[in-house]
Amino acid sequence: MIHGMGDPWLMGRSVEDARAGYVVVGSSGVLAPIGAALRSAGHPAAGISRGSRLEQGDWDERVALDARDPDAVASWLATRDLLPRTVIAYAPATSPEAFARLADGCEVAVLVVPSAWSDPGGSDALAASWQLADDVRVLRLGWTGGPGSARWHTAEEISAAALALALDPASEEMLGRVRPWDERPGAPVIREEPWPSVTGGVGFAQGVYGDQGNLELVAADAAGDGIWVGWWNADDEDHRAGAVPGSWSGAKRFADGHGYVQVSITQAVAGPSFLEVLALSPTGDLDRHVWTPTDGFTRHGTLLHDVVAAAPLVVDGQGDHWVVASTTDGPVVLHGRPDAAYPVLELEPVQTGVAALALLPRTAWVVGATWHTDHLDLLAVDAGNGKASGVALWCCGATDAAATLRVDGDVTTGSIAAQGNSLAVAVCAAGRAVLVLLAGPPAPTDLGPAENATVTPVQVGPDRAPEWHVVTTHGTTATHHRHRADGAAVTVPQPVAARAWATPDTSSLHGHL
């Protein structure tokens, strides 16, 4: 095995033995030192790179060529009087088809492959995609150093090992180590970090992203500078990216410069699968933001003015969008049907279509809405005489009945959610949040001190019973609660805090979208 670039075995080889010489692909990167070693031994060598750093390395011939293009490689080979004796190529600098053309007819072909070829999660498929001939010698790159001090190999170390394998098939085919995989340099590690300070009512819903459907959370920045968004990983399998299963991601901010006192989020069907956010400003403007995979969150204007309370946008069984809000002039209902222009959407005031609205006193503030099988149910706070607190009213659009929820103290806010035939309500009264299952036990479940509470149904796996999840806010901190269908707690409530995979040099799990 060669231990340095001046290895005597190499130095003793003659120019005649090299015949048409060496061709090295990746000659301006990790294989650049090979040029000086070959030239000092009198072996002609051509270095191929895409041209951005042709000056790197010491080559008899410098070739500006995209070695990933098999046709370009074939055209270049056609200009040669002799085929190369030896080809050494760095896999990311070429392609399977192009490398096959370079290696065809040569005596020795060496392919230097990165550590990704040893990734336990997908290396077999990667190697199979190259369909290498049996006589191709493969040098697998790993890393060196122990836990906490691991580093990638230098260009000199990689070049020495590649040249050793080209000269002697018995040389090592692995440079360094590739196990344990978690100890590779820059490998993600689990980071924990409190969420930024938030304020007001939060938006909370299960989306369609992830294997099981992640939970999406939006919350207004406590300093009045935009909206924070994050997600709770509902998956069982840890993909070692983003939030750890059963944990929250870092928070990402959008809508910079806009202050809000209440936000909500809804998983839309249209788009497909865009996310709708409604955000209420301190001055009563109800803004609409929409997330798309291409543009992230984009503000789509103000829907209403003089709003005192608003329910989350509701998507009905036909995919139509409904917005129910209370203004200083009374309740307002907006309706829209997404078409090819979506997320651009005209939400127009309507006088019919929400039977539950007729059940509300004019003084009530609508705080929640949900699509319940085939109709819209509403949750309102009867704020008689303009008061911001009172009794909680559940209005069922199917039975044309309104029921007063038995909760101690004046209710200030709340939310309602449906899961099949079941309904859950989370409300805040007397400075505490309670969970009320309308088809469950008569006694509300106390959730602790809170000024706001949002409930959503969660399916955490195909073989598991559905759950009700609630996010409450107290001061500037959000807390995540999990409850079974019978109201019993699944886990101890946990503060919404990021626990996610990140590279060691990541300064924070939070940032901007």
Side-chain angles (χ1 to χ4, degrees):
M1 178 178 177
I2 294 178
H3 298 287
M5 302 311 288
D7 187 272
W9 195 86
L10 172 63
M11 298 294 285
R13 304 280 284 178
S14 68
V15 174
E16 289 74 21
D17 289 337
R19 290 166 39 191
Y22 289 72
V23 169
V24 178
V25 178
S27 62
S28 61
V30 296
L31 300 182
I34 289 180
L38 290 172
R39 200 169 191 193
S40 65
H43 296 284
I48 296 178
S49 71
R50 276 184 283 171
S52 60
R53 296 187 301 165
L54 275 176
E55 72 280 359
Q56 299 295 317
D58 191 1
W59 305 98
D60 296 288
E61 181 182 359
R62 301 175 190 271
V63 181
L65 177 69
D66 185 355
R68 300 170 302 178
D69 183 345
D71 293 333
V73 168
S75 298
W76 178 73
L77 287 173
T79 67
R80 316 291 291 178
D81 294 332
L82 294 172
L83 293 176
R85 172 192 178 273
T86 300
V87 171
I88 305 175
Y90 183 47
T94 184
S95 67
E97 297 81 3
F99 178 74
R101 296 199 178 188
L102 279 169
D104 186 29
C106 70
E107 292 185 14
V108 177
V110 175
L111 185 66
V112 181
V113 301
S115 61
W117 281 53
S118 302
D119 185 344
S123 56
D124 292 342
L126 180 59
S129 68
W130 280 72
Q131 299 181 340
L132 297 173
D134 293 339
D135 58 350
V136 173
R137 304 172 190 178
V138 178
L139 175 65
R140 293 177 178 265
L141 301 182
W143 58 88
T144 187
S149 61
R151 66 169 178 83
W152 299 116
H153 291 92
T154 65
E156 288 74 19
E157 292 168 332
I158 295 171
S159 293
L163 196 50
L165 187 59
L167 296 170
D168 183 1
S171 293
E172 293 289 340
E173 296 180 339
M174 175 71 72
L175 180 60
R177 63 187 181 94
V178 293
R179 297 289 183 271
W181 184 248
D182 294 347
E183 293 181 2
R184 68 194 185 280
V189 296
I190 295 178
R191 288 272 305 274
E192 298 181 359
E193 189 174 351
W195 252 48
S197 296
V198 300
T199 189
V202 302
F204 186 39
Q206 185 167 26
V208 299
Y209 296 95
D211 297 337
Q212 304 290 353
N214 298 324
L215 305 188
E216 310 290 346
L217 175 66
V218 287
D221 177 59
D225 189 15
I227 300 172
W228 295 102
V229 60
W231 54 280
W232 186 79
N233 190 347
D235 293 347
D236 293 323
E237 182 180 354
D238 192 348
H239 297 289
R240 305 178 69 82
V244 174
S247 303
W248 287 97
S249 71
K252 304 300 181 183
R253 185 163 57 189
F254 67 96
D256 293 20
H258 294 270
Y260 295 109
V261 295
Q262 173 190 325
V263 291
S264 64
I265 190 167
T266 303
Q267 175 68 71
V269 176
S273 305
F274 291 176
L275 294 168
E276 291 269 359
V277 170
L278 299 182
L280 180 61
S281 76
T283 57
D285 292 336
L286 186 63
D287 293 344
R288 175 175 175 251
H289 301 263
V290 183
W291 176 89
T292 70
T294 54
D295 299 325
F297 280 100
T298 302
R299 185 172 178 271
H300 283 260
T302 299
L303 299 180
L304 294 168
H305 301 287
D306 300 322
V307 175
V308 293
L313 181 145
V314 174
V315 179
D316 68 17
Q318 304 300 316
D320 288 10
H321 289 196
W322 298 85
V323 174
V324 184
S326 295
T327 71
T328 54
D329 293 328
V332 176
V333 179
L334 304 180
H335 170 263
R337 176 166 294 172
D339 55 20
Y342 186 73
V344 175
L345 178 65
E346 293 296 329
L347 288 159
E348 300 289 347
V350 294
Q351 302 300 319
T352 60
V354 183
L357 199 62
L359 305 174
L360 291 177
R362 186 172 179 80
T363 55
W365 290 4
V366 177
V367 295
T370 188
W371 188 254
H372 188 196
T373 309
D374 59 358
H375 61 275
L376 198 66
D377 281 5
L378 300 179
L379 178 70
V381 175
D382 187 1
N385 300 320
K387 291 170 58 180
S389 62
V391 296
L393 297 176
W394 161 45
C395 303
C396 177
T399 62
D400 291 335
T404 300
L405 302 183
R406 295 181 179 178
V407 178
D408 293 335
D410 283 350
V411 175
T412 54
T413 188
S415 71
I416 186 170
Q419 185 166 228
N421 292 322
S422 301
L423 282 168
V425 170
V427 295
C428 292
R432 301 184 72 83
V434 294
L435 175 65
V436 182
L437 304 182
L438 299 183
T445 301
D446 185 77
L447 302 177
E451 293 80 47
N452 296 277
T454 305
V455 62
T456 193
V458 176
Q459 182 67 51
V460 292
D463 301 323
R464 300 183 191 175
E467 298 178 359
W468 295 106
H469 287 219
V470 182
V471 170
T472 59
T473 57
H474 180 52
T476 59
T477 301
T479 301
H480 182 196
H481 309 253
R482 297 177 61 184
H483 290 262
R484 295 199 305 260
D486 61 2
V490 177
T491 60
V492 175
Q494 298 290 332
V496 174
R499 187 168 184 264
W501 291 98
T503 57
D505 60 350
T506 299
S507 59
S508 174
L509 295 173
H510 312 314
H512 284 82
L513 279 178

